[in-house]
Amino acid sequence: MTQGIYKTGVAAQRLEADAYAENFSDLHPAFDWHEAQVEADRCYFCYDAPCQTACPTDIDIPMFIRQIAADNPIGAAKTIFDQNIFGGMCARVCPTETLCEEVCVREIAEGKPVQIGRLQRFATDTAMAEQKQFYQRGRATGRRVAVIGAGPAGLACAHRLAMHGHAVKVFEAKEQAGGLNEYGIAAYKTPNGFAQAEVDYITAIGGIDIEYGKALGRDLAVGDLVKDYDAVFIGAGLGAVNSLGLGAGDIAGVENAVDFISELRQADDLAGLPIGRRVVVIGGGMTAIDAAVQAKLLGAEDVTICYRRGKENMNASEFEQDLATSKGVAIRHWVKPVAVTSEDGAVTGVEFEYTRLEGGKLVGTSEYFVEPADQVFRAIGQRLDETVFGDAGVDLDGGRIRTDAEGRTSHPKVWAGGDCTNRGDDLTVTAVAEGRDAAESIHKALVG
Amino acid sequence: MADLRNSFVGIKSPNPFWLASAPPTDKAYNVERAFKAGWGGVVWKTLGAEGPPVVNVNGPRYGAIWGGDRRLIGLNNIELITDRELQTNLREIKQIKRDWPDRAVVVSLMVPCEEDAWKSILPLVEETGADGIELNFGCPHGMSERGMGSAVGQVPEYVEMVVKWCKQYSRMPVITKLTPNITDVRRPARAAFNGGTDAVSLINTINSITAVNLDSFSPEPSIDGKGTHGGYCGPAVKPIAMSMVSEIARDKDTYLMPISGIGGITTWRDAAEFMALGAGNVQVCTAAMTYGFRIVEEMITGLSNWMDEKGFTSIDEVVGKAVPNVTDWQYLNLNYISKARINQDLCIECGRCHIACEDTSHQAITNTIDGKRGFEVIDEECVGCNLCVNVCPVEDCITMVPLDAGDIDKRTGKTVSPDYANWTSHPNNPAAREAAE
């Protein structure tokens, strides 16, 4: 870690100018050819491979690794893209340690799984660098499908629909496509504009028209879309952020972690981004880790993640937790926020109460402490803004869109996938799988 | 400490590890380094007849195949015999033998198949004080096209003839180096024996093309877009070499003839295996060319520790120890029945045993145990073939366990007999039936 420049409060330029590029460089550098060969050689080409079973998109992992080992990275890339057109991003952001690599037999044998994610990246990067397009737009069916949201779910759906020859109109609320890939993931996981390059690679199939600045509820209504299109796919993600419920909304320095992450991803000059000297992140998921680590990388002196339960309850994977602590982030468990302290309208700290489990229920212990902070990030989850659906006849379940295994909602012309559904699990790879499967279901319904 | 001192056809060396005739033994500089590192002896790189030396290609001389992480598995070469002046080599050989009297220095020779050619070079070698000569009847490239090397080794009559000349015109022990590029290696071995050779050494390299460049469509190693077969060596050839050594060691005509074992020897264990199959010492090349001369330290200590552990005090006790156990297929005990056993504690559930057996063999390994992923042997189907053991990535996870006499073989439903019974007397053997009638 580079040496910091001492500044009080929330301030920009906490580091020497050249430190930013180093801090935000690729978390897992790409394999070179020989490294990929060596790693691919470790794969046992298992029968009915556990890694493939663990992959939400069901990539034939042993086959693509064998193809890499046989110096056929293009073939490997096609094996990956056949199942997951976002194979490049998933290679970077998948929590492989809790998916494919967790069940790799070499993890079981020696605690050292084949690095599947990095091999996947080697193959997909090779194909994308060569601009190798594997799929063609199918012969036009004359059917039109509206896709709401140009994130992983929406574009995976759009791509598969285009393969089947349907005309796809994508409505995206933001100014760029990619969804959380573009706005919601730590910069060091996908540097060098990869998210946009991937969107271009995917939409190059043709037949996918994206209209930006169109948000559901504000500019679009599901009720209208079902009249204008043969089918509608909702892959809008979760727009709203859960509140702390501490009435701290107006206090300067208390922010949503997702906004911070998004702002950082869109920033042209990281040195110009103000960051607190003492930062507190409230939450225990990937977003909390991404915010905390990036705060630290921007030069914050003290960064503390505060989580109300124990280490094993954190949604962030163990790898992510270790990454945070290795970057100097402190993680406190069994504490819940009870008040935000402020002075002259600016945050000075967060008061926490210790917690413990009592008969399976989380309770406060009536012991308190104040964690000083000049910046606080909320990372306690996102939710669906139910109002955007109006009375379109799309039923919810637990605050998210109810879908069946094919992604069908309660409305016969509406499908959904990704985080906004009751089957979403906040993973890019799951969103891709659901978008892809919904496209197959839509295709079946339209031409079947 | 086991005594590793070796006497091979009367040639003494402090250990049985010699460097084979090859680039590592082409000049005094290399041989000095080898002896300093601890090698017991060298066979000097093959000398040719007096006159202008041979010319080598100036492009690549070696091709290779690799395993994971570029571990060298097989090497081939298209280098010829020494391309240095005969007199230079002879001078250096003499100097080395004088400086290292306790080490074996054997000189490899390859001259035209004419009596005069051999008659004239032998005294020159003898004058150096070298311990013996090795006749290079093996090199499969370049020289063979000029009627030497394997062109001689492939014709038993020539082998016998040249060996006779060498014994006639020299006092030195003669080791005849055999080519594996022949259908039955026992034929040239017998010919060498009949000619009076003191020993044979084998194998020389195997005809090979290591790769084809799929851009230029040239074989590798490629010389200006063309390639030729080269001599293959290294760990990949060891099984072939051991089989050939064992065939000579158990042949009724040649079993008394000493053998110097060559072919992919990389560790002490390889050396011990060759010696158990009848090699009185071993020669090494590729391993040294891959890792340098220091590997001999591992060979010396490894062989010594193993011999101590087994209670062997001298090399002679090891040589030929496995030969009585090498037999013909027809004498294998057909009443010996084994079944694969999978150690479920060691199993990592890769499923390779299952798919190998299911797709290519006997459908004798399940893919579930009690409805869950798991791999178990079906005794009713298992023929004891050992394929699962060989494809399993975990050592000792799958083992072949013999059934006891009196057990029921669930595959055949028959009781395992305590008696030895082989094909020669099996009822399905037409020859056996005729004999019985």
Side-chain angles (χ1 to χ4, degrees):
Chain A
M1 297 286 284
T2 42
Q3 202 172 313
I5 300 167
Y6 177 80
K7 284 179 182 178
T8 55
V10 180
Q13 285 156 340
R14 288 188 173 276
L15 303 172
E16 301 288 354
D18 53 359
Y20 292 93
E22 192 190 322
N23 280 3
F24 287 88
S25 64
D26 221 330
L27 179 62
H28 299 292
F31 275 144
D32 66 21
W33 184 88
H34 179 74
E35 288 170 321
Q37 292 293 309
V38 172
E39 194 61 21
D41 186 65
R42 296 187 63 233
C43 174
Y44 287 149
F45 200 70
C46 294
Y47 161 77
D48 190 17
C51 53
Q52 181 175 355
T53 309
C55 175
T57 54
D58 197 32
I59 292 171
D60 190 343
I61 294 167
M63 185 56 74
F64 93 67
I65 294 180
R66 188 168 174 78
Q67 288 168 313
I68 291 173
D71 197 17
N72 179 13
I74 298 298
K78 178 159 190 306
T79 301
I80 294 160
F81 289 137
D82 279 349
Q83 291 299 116
N84 182 339
I85 197 66
F86 276 93
M89 183 60 81
C90 289
R92 290 164 165 78
V93 303
C94 258
T96 51
E97 63 280 1
T98 59
L99 295 169
C100 51
E101 292 177 18
E102 180 179 43
V103 297
C104 174
V105 299
R106 298 204 74 155
E107 165 68 23
I108 291 151
E110 66 216 61
K112 198 168 168 245
V114 175
Q115 295 180 64
I116 298 166
R118 293 181 77 186
L119 285 169
Q120 179 166 319
R121 175 170 169 186
F122 175 79
T124 53
D125 279 6
T126 303
M128 288 172 71
E130 292 181 19
Q131 282 299 316
K132 195 92 191 164
Q133 287 286 338
F134 298 106
Y135 311 100
Q136 287 178 337
R137 192 180 167 191
R139 205 149 56 98
T141 60
R143 308 288 183 153
R144 296 164 66 245
V145 181
V147 170
I148 303 169
L155 288 185
C157 181
H159 185 267
R160 191 55 70 100
L161 288 169
M163 281 172 66
H164 288 309
H166 307 298
V168 186
K169 177 83 167 183
V170 182
F171 297 102
E172 169 55 46
K174 295 206 150 85
E175 296 309 312
Q176 288 188 90
L180 290 180
N181 289 354
E182 177 58 39
Y183 293 97
I185 285 164
Y188 49 78
K189 289 180 186 168
T190 167
N192 308 322
F194 179 77
Q196 285 312 302
E198 184 174 50
V199 167
D200 294 343
Y201 180 74
I202 291 169
T203 54
I205 189 172
I208 301 173
D209 177 30
I210 308 180
E211 199 172 329
Y212 295 98
K214 296 287 183 204
L216 191 63
R218 187 185 70 200
D219 315 297
L220 307 164
V222 175
D224 296 336
L225 291 173
V226 294
K227 286 180 206 142
D228 298 343
Y229 292 88
D230 296 300
V232 175
F233 175 80
I234 305 173
L238 300 171
V241 176
N242 289 331
S243 125
L244 286 171
L246 303 177
D250 299 336
I251 299 173
V254 180
E255 297 161 37
N256 292 327
V258 290
D259 296 336
F260 165 62
I261 291 166
S262 167
E263 194 185 347
L264 192 148
R265 278 294 297 279
Q266 301 307 311
D268 293 328
D269 174 24
L270 292 173
L273 271 187
I275 191 72
R277 183 177 163 211
R278 301 184 198 287
V279 176
V280 167
V281 181
I282 299 169
M286 294 291 199
T287 301
I289 300 280
D290 281 1
V293 170
Q294 294 193 109
K296 192 73 194 166
L297 297 177
L298 283 174
E301 197 176 311
D302 290 319
V303 180
T304 308
I305 291 173
C306 296
Y307 178 58
R308 64 201 171 107
R309 291 173 184 268
K311 178 179 170 65
E312 60 283 2
N313 305 111
M314 291 180 79
N315 270 336
S317 68
E318 193 141 342
F319 171 82
E320 292 284 332
Q321 296 179 42
D322 290 347
L323 174 71
T325 51
S326 78
K327 299 290 184 193
V329 172
I331 304 180
R332 299 192 68 151
H333 304 104
W334 302 110
V335 296
K336 68 170 182 186
V338 293
V340 175
T341 60
S342 63
E343 223 176 270
D344 303 329
V347 64
T348 56
V350 183
E351 184 174 15
F352 288 94
E353 181 183 8
Y354 288 97
T355 60
R356 62 191 172 92
L357 279 179
E358 228 173 65
K361 224 181 144 219
L362 192 71
V363 297
T365 66
S366 300
E367 295 157 290
Y368 301 90
F369 69 95
V370 173
E371 186 74 32
D374 37 37
Q375 197 168 27
V376 175
F377 292 122
R378 286 181 288 248
I380 53 172
Q382 288 181 270
R383 61 186 172 78
L384 192 63
D385 180 1
E386 300 174 12
T387 62
V388 301
F389 297 108
D391 53 0
V394 174
D395 292 347
L396 302 187
D397 176 15
R400 302 199 182 186
I401 301 171
R402 194 177 76 222
T403 51
D404 67 8
E406 290 184 15
R408 287 179 295 218
T409 71
S410 55
H411 190 294
K413 286 180 77 176
V414 180
W415 282 254
D419 292 354
C420 64
T421 74
N422 60 339
R423 293 183 305 123
D425 58 6
D426 301 342
L427 290 179
T428 300
V429 65
T430 304
V432 173
E434 291 177 3
R436 174 199 71 193
D437 295 346
E440 293 295 347
S441 180
I442 291 168
H443 176 64
K444 202 170 63 182
L446 294 185
V447 305
Chain B
M1 267 287 273
D3 183 1
L4 295 191
R5 279 180 302 173
N6 185 236
S7 176
F8 185 78
V9 294
I11 303 170
K12 298 204 169 6
S13 59
N15 61 56
F17 304 110
W18 292 7
L19 283 169
S21 169
T25 59
D26 191 30
K27 55 186 187 296
Y29 180 85
N30 304 75
V31 173
E32 282 270 353
R33 289 179 66 85
F35 284 163
K36 280 181 190 158
W39 289 89
V42 298
V43 181
W44 203 275
K45 184 169 165 80
T46 307
L47 310 184
E50 184 99 62
V54 302
V55 177
N56 268 302
V57 294
N58 299 298
R61 297 175 189 182
Y62 302 109
I65 64 165
W66 299 271
D69 208 1
R70 257 180 98 79
R71 182 171 288 270
L72 192 79
I73 290 174
L75 184 73
N76 90 347
N77 83 88
I78 54 168
E79 186 172 291
L80 304 182
I81 61 173
T82 185
D83 53 13
R84 305 191 319 147
E85 293 286 345
L86 176 64
Q87 291 304 328
T88 309
N89 277 307
L90 292 170
R91 195 170 56 245
E92 290 185 9
I93 291 165
K94 189 171 185 176
Q95 170 232 317
I96 286 283
K97 187 61 209 178
R98 193 185 59 221
D99 295 348
W100 298 86
D102 69 323
R103 308 301 170 96
V105 178
V106 173
V107 178
S108 173
L109 294 175
M110 184 196 288
V111 295
C113 226
E114 296 153 11
E115 190 168 0
D116 283 348
W118 290 92
K119 194 176 172 180
S120 58
I121 197 166
L122 289 166
L124 302 179
V125 177
E126 203 162 292
E127 198 277 329
T128 64
D131 297 298
I133 55 171
E134 185 181 77
L135 311 184
N136 183 343
F137 293 159
C139 280
H141 51 265
M143 304 309 287
S144 56
E145 294 148 24
R146 303 173 205 177
M148 293 179 269
S150 64
V152 179
Q154 287 165 339
V155 184
E157 294 76 9
Y158 293 172
V159 172
E160 184 171 342
M161 176 176 74
V162 176
V163 170
K164 274 183 177 157
W165 293 337
C166 291
K167 288 308 289 181
Q168 186 181 345
Y169 297 117
S170 166
R171 291 179 286 104
M172 293 180 288
V174 173
I175 304 167
T176 305
K177 189 166 180 177
L178 301 179
T179 177
N181 299 306
I182 188 166
T183 309
D184 185 350
V185 77
R186 291 175 301 184
R187 302 282 303 283
R190 287 172 192 151
F193 183 73
N194 292 339
T197 195
D198 295 276
V200 287
S201 56
L202 69 156
I203 57 172
N204 203 306
T205 55
I206 304 173
N207 277 333
S208 60
I209 288 174
T210 52
V212 174
N213 183 312
L214 292 180
D215 294 320
S216 65
F217 293 97
S218 167
E220 302 280 5
S222 173
I223 309 294
D224 194 22
K226 306 277 186 213
T228 186
H229 65 89
Y232 197 45
C233 54
V237 311
K238 177 187 151 195
I240 299 165
M242 291 211 299
S243 171
M244 290 187 168
V245 166
S246 74
E247 286 305 303
I248 294 169
R250 72 191 187 94
D251 183 64
K252 64 177 173 38
D253 295 331
T254 57
Y255 70 95
L256 288 174
M257 178 169 61
I259 301 169
S260 184
I262 312 170
I265 294 161
T266 307
T267 68
W268 71 266
R269 181 177 290 275
D270 300 328
E273 291 176 15
F274 268 89
M275 290 193 285
L277 285 174
N281 74 357
V282 295
Q283 298 184 32
V284 175
C285 173
T286 310
M289 290 184 75
T290 310
Y291 303 107
F293 289 143
R294 248 163 51 77
I295 56 165
V296 74
E297 265 180 57
E298 171 276 310
M299 293 177 161
I300 290 168
T301 55
L303 184 65
S304 174
N305 289 342
W306 171 74
M307 285 173 62
D308 287 348
E309 196 184 306
K310 292 286 174 193
F312 296 123
T313 54
S314 76
I315 297 291
D316 290 346
E317 293 169 37
V318 177
V319 175
K321 197 84 182 151
V323 175
N325 295 329
V326 183
T327 186
D328 294 341
W329 190 95
Q330 62 182 337
Y331 299 122
L332 297 174
N333 183 4
L334 295 174
N335 282 340
Y336 176 84
I337 296 164
S338 66
K339 300 281 180 189
R341 288 281 170 270
I342 301 174
N343 181 330
Q344 296 298 334
D345 294 331
L346 293 177
C347 178
I348 59 172
E349 298 189 354
C350 68
R352 286 193 352 187
C353 56
H354 162 76
I355 203 61
C357 193
E358 188 70 17
D359 276 355
T360 71
S361 292
H362 303 90
Q363 298 76 48
I365 297 179
T366 66
N367 56 22
T368 54
I369 299 175
D370 299 331
K372 287 201 303 228
R373 182 181 179 85
F375 304 92
E376 206 165 49
V377 176
I378 305 164
D379 280 358
E380 287 77 0
E381 305 296 337
C382 178
V383 303
C385 77
N386 207 40
L387 177 64
C388 53
V389 172
N390 292 327
V391 301
C392 178
V394 181
E395 288 87 358
D396 302 327
C397 175
I398 311 181
T399 47
M400 299 307 297
V401 180
L403 298 185
D404 290 331
D407 287 353
I408 304 286
D409 177 358
K410 289 183 185 165
R411 184 173 70 87
T412 59
K414 290 181 183 154
T415 306
V416 178
S417 162
D419 302 326
Y420 163 84
N422 65 41
W423 174 245
T424 59
S425 57
H426 194 279
N428 289 16
N429 181 348
R433 267 208 308 275
E434 277 164 31
E437 276 159 14

